[in-house]
Amino acid sequence: MDPIAAGFWGAFFGTAALMLGISLAVFVRTRRQVALSAAFSAVVCAVFVAACLGWLSANSVHQDRLVALIAPLSAGALSPMLLALLGLLRQRRPTLRVASITMALALAVVAAGWMLAARQALILGWAATLTAAVVMLLVAIRTAWVGSRLAAGAAVGMALLLVGLSCLSWIGIDHSTSWPVHAVSALACMGFLSVMGAAAWDRYSYLLELSEVMAHGPAYDPVTRMRSHSETGQMVGDMFFHRDAEARPVGVVAVCIGNLYALENLHGRAAFNHALFICAGRLRRCVPQTVEMGRLGEDGFLLLTRSMEDMRALGQLARQIRERLARPVSLSTSRDPGRIGTTGTNWVADIGIGVLATSTKVRPAQVVATVRAMARTAWTYPTRVAVFDQEAGQIAELAVDETPLSVF
């Protein structure tokens, strides 16, 4: 094989190995069936490509027979998995029925191939495999037509797979093909694995969120993926509860968004929920794991921590939250799934942040009320960050180099 072609195929097998490793890690941790399906897909694709390249057999006749066997069986095994990934097979009985039909058709092609010469069996196997790929592509396009974003990605992946299979069939029939054909096939197969991996992760994320909703019930807010309003109260109680008489420091940060209700009045509840979803996602990505988060009313979030011995970190965290949440975003204004992301309005969150260094000796209700008032007062400050000035006994703006050291 040409060294350049070998390099492209090496990149493909590296992609398959990476997908397999990630899938197995997810499977071991959460035992999700989606992760197992992704790992199985990576293995099947790698074995299939190795057989087509002649790496599993030195004899050309045996190689043709092997590809004529593996190609239909691979198509029969992967087709039900793709349908399940698209959400078309949601129940166990239809899944088993479709899997039985596809594998029966694959075995019929294999049986017919054994009655033919090796090269004729190879052509029959490739014809059946390409036909299955075209059918799956049409199914994905039809599903994407009704507004499924996951199906749109799967359709792109199947189109790439069809290109890769066409080049592989050329390579399998004519072993003297040049390296550009190998390059196109390897890149197309890598694209297929990448797209399918992303689609599987999207499906996995959905199931993970669904498990959180089923586990926590009303305590889980599906819009922000944080604790709900009632659960935030429980979080505050747990944070301020202590058995010993010694007071412990507690860092409290409140984030309030001042223009959410104006957004709802102008563009409706869908835009309101989208803005809240975006802000919550940005907040989760910039907050350390030692900080507990929850909803604070309809327009805010509450952050609590006892792990920050240096309260200067609270001021730095507040500035980081302000920079992250104040970035512009394009919001959808339609609830139609097919139009999400196509019609929208540009929006910038009007952030107010209150930072309070307190202790477990103070009543939790008083702390929450104070820090929320600080966050709302911060809307009037240029820096949008407010602290409690212990000496003046009032709320003040956090300057550029100031740190919230006073204890409330």
Side-chain angles (χ1 to χ4, degrees):
M1 179 181 292
D2 189 276
I4 300 179
F8 278 101
W9 286 119
F12 164 77
F13 284 106
T15 303
L18 179 62
M19 183 176 175
L20 176 61
I22 295 175
S23 301
L24 291 179
V26 173
F27 175 77
V28 169
R29 184 174 180 180
T30 62
R31 298 191 179 276
R32 293 288 177 186
Q33 186 177 0
V34 177
L36 183 61
S37 301
F40 180 73
S41 301
V43 172
V44 170
C45 291
V47 173
F48 176 69
V49 170
C52 293
L53 296 178
W55 294 356
L56 301 183
S57 177
N59 188 289
S60 60
V61 176
H62 293 168
Q63 178 185 348
D64 292 344
R65 288 291 185 186
L66 187 62
V67 174
L69 173 66
I70 294 179
L73 293 180
S74 299
L78 293 180
S79 297
M81 295 174 58
L82 177 63
L83 295 176
L85 187 63
L86 294 176
L88 301 178
L89 300 178
R90 299 182 180 273
Q91 298 180 359
R92 183 179 181 85
R93 183 171 296 177
T95 302
L96 294 177
R97 185 184 302 115
V98 171
S100 301
I101 293 174
T102 56
M103 289 305 299
L105 292 175
L107 291 175
V109 172
V110 172
W114 281 107
M115 295 184 294
L116 302 174
R119 182 51 58 97
Q120 294 175 342
L122 175 64
I123 295 175
L124 176 63
W126 274 117
T129 304
L130 292 174
T131 301
V134 171
V135 171
M136 290 298 102
L137 175 60
L138 295 177
V139 171
I141 293 176
R142 182 179 180 277
T143 308
W145 187 261
V146 300
S148 175
R149 181 175 58 88
L150 184 63
V156 174
M158 290 307 302
L160 291 173
L161 178 62
L162 191 59
V163 173
L165 288 178
S166 301
C167 294
L168 276 174
S169 63
W170 186 359
I171 295 171
I173 296 175
D174 183 7
H175 301 294
S176 62
T177 52
S178 58
W179 70 265
V181 179
H182 287 267
V184 172
S185 181
L187 291 175
C189 292
M190 290 169 60
F192 166 75
L193 285 180
S194 300
V195 172
M196 289 297 104
W201 176 255
D202 195 358
R203 185 70 174 169
Y204 164 74
S205 300
Y206 164 75
L207 294 177
L208 185 62
E209 182 178 0
L210 180 60
S211 66
E212 291 290 333
V213 172
M214 295 177 64
H216 296 91
Y220 179 77
D221 179 21
V223 177
T224 61
R225 300 178 183 178
M226 293 182 183
R227 293 177 174 87
S228 63
H229 304 289
S230 59
E231 188 69 10
T232 300
Q234 182 64 37
M235 177 188 72
V236 173
D238 295 340
M239 182 66 66
F240 280 82
F241 175 77
H242 62 102
R243 295 182 178 179
D244 52 358
E246 183 181 357
R248 298 180 180 178
V250 177
V252 186
V253 177
V255 180
C256 291
I257 306 173
N259 55 348
L260 273 178
Y261 293 108
L263 178 68
E264 181 181 9
N265 293 332
L266 289 174
H267 300 287
R269 190 67 181 184
F272 178 97
N273 292 334
H274 191 185
L276 195 60
F277 176 80
I278 294 295
C279 291
R282 291 177 174 179
L283 186 62
R284 290 196 310 271
R285 287 190 291 269
C286 70
V287 169
Q289 295 182 353
T290 57
V291 178
E292 300 288 338
M293 294 182 293
R295 293 286 303 274
L296 183 61
E298 290 289 333
D299 62 347
F301 308 94
L302 183 66
L303 286 68
L304 299 175
T305 180
R306 282 192 294 201
S307 300
M308 292 184 178
E309 298 180 359
D310 184 4
M311 289 302 174
R312 290 180 175 85
L314 283 179
Q316 182 63 30
L317 177 61
R319 297 185 184 97
Q320 185 177 355
I321 292 174
R322 177 195 61 195
E323 297 298 327
R324 185 66 65 89
L325 268 63
R327 296 176 181 175
V329 60
S330 179
L331 298 176
S332 298
T333 57
S334 173
R335 296 187 182 183
D336 184 4
R339 300 178 61 190
I340 290 180
T342 59
T343 59
T345 180
N346 293 326
W347 179 76
V348 178
D350 188 7
I351 301 297
I353 303 175
V355 180
L356 186 63
T358 183
S359 68
T360 54
K361 287 295 186 180
V362 185
R363 290 190 299 111
Q366 183 181 2
V367 171
V368 174
T370 301
V371 74
R372 187 175 187 181
M374 293 165 59
R376 294 177 179 272
T377 305
W379 290 336
T380 62
Y381 296 150
T383 60
R384 300 306 172 95
V385 181
V387 295
F388 186 81
D389 190 343
Q390 186 68 20
E391 296 181 358
Q394 63 183 9
I395 300 173
E397 181 180 8
L398 178 66
V400 177
D401 298 328
E402 189 179 348
T403 54
L405 292 178
S406 57
V407 177
F408 172 76

